[in-house]
């Protein structure tokens, strides 16, 4: 009977220690310190290898760390639209107030950036249209492609018209410069 009680006490003590070890990782996660959380979760996993809860927490922290890294890089590259998308995705996973504030902060910059992209694509489209009417299809394709890659719908249409006029469907769609459209 004493042996069973000692085994039960040992198991309870092990579970309590495991809980304490991993609480540190959870605390780091809640603070948005994902690298530290991953380190703590790895430490827990080295002691308690088959714990799915710890593994899931680690995977979640790794995903958040990746999103945060990509969002910060996009922001430093002044790609505010992409940064906003990444911070929003990060906020859906981990509702940290800092990410909500960052998303609000980036919304205005992203809106301004979107307006600039639309202006630029309109300009490229108009230049392409001039070349199209002059039947200079090579230059028109270049301009329409640039505008289309920024989301300009009419440019996409005229890109097709240029290809039709030149009868060069395969040449345009197989070349490396046009495959991303």
């Amino acid at each position: 009977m004493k042996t069973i009680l000692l085994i039960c006490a040992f198991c309870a003590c092990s579970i309590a220690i495991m809980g304490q070890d991993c609480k540190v990782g959870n605390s780091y996660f809640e603070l948005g310190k994902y690298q530290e959380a991953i380190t703590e979760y790895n430490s827990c996993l080295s002691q308690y290898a088959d714990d799915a809860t710890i593994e899931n927490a680690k995977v979640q922290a790794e995903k958040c760390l990746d999103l945060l890294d990509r969002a910060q890089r996009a922001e430093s590259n002044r790609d505010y639209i992409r940064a906003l998308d990444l911070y929003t995705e990060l906020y859906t996973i981990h509702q940290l107030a800092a990410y909500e504030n960052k998303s609000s902060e980036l919304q205005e910059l992203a809106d301004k950036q979107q307006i600039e992209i639309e202006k630029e694509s309109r300009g490229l489209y108009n230049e392409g249209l001039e070349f199209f009417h002059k039947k200079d299809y090579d230059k028109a394709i270049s301009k329409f492609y640039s505008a289309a890659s920024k989301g300009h719908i009419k440019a996409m249409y005229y890109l097709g018209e240029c290809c039709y006029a030149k009868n060069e469907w395969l040449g345009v769609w197989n070349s490396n410069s046009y495959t991303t459209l």
Side-chain angles (χ1 to χ4, degrees), residues 96-165:
L96 200 59
Y99 302 142
E100 185 176 27
N101 294 340
K102 188 57 125 171
S103 294
S104 299
E105 183 183 305
L106 286 172
Q107 185 65 55
E108 185 177 333
L109 293 170
D111 290 344
K112 287 179 183 176
Q113 190 173 45
Q114 186 62 41
I115 290 168
E116 288 301 314
I117 289 170
E118 289 170 6
K119 281 182 189 176
E120 185 180 354
S121 69
R122 260 194 317 272
L124 289 165
Y125 166 75
N126 289 335
E127 290 175 26
L129 208 51
E130 289 176 23
F131 289 122
F132 180 79
H133 291 303
K134 293 177 186 175
K135 298 188 192 279
D136 187 349
Y137 298 118
D138 289 328
K139 289 181 182 175
I141 286 173
S142 174
K143 296 297 180 179
F144 287 140
Y145 178 78
S146 296
S149 66
K150 296 178 186 310
H152 198 283
I153 304 296
K154 287 183 180 179
M156 292 177 196
Y157 169 79
Y158 276 101
L159 182 58
E161 287 291 320
C162 288
C163 293
Y164 180 77

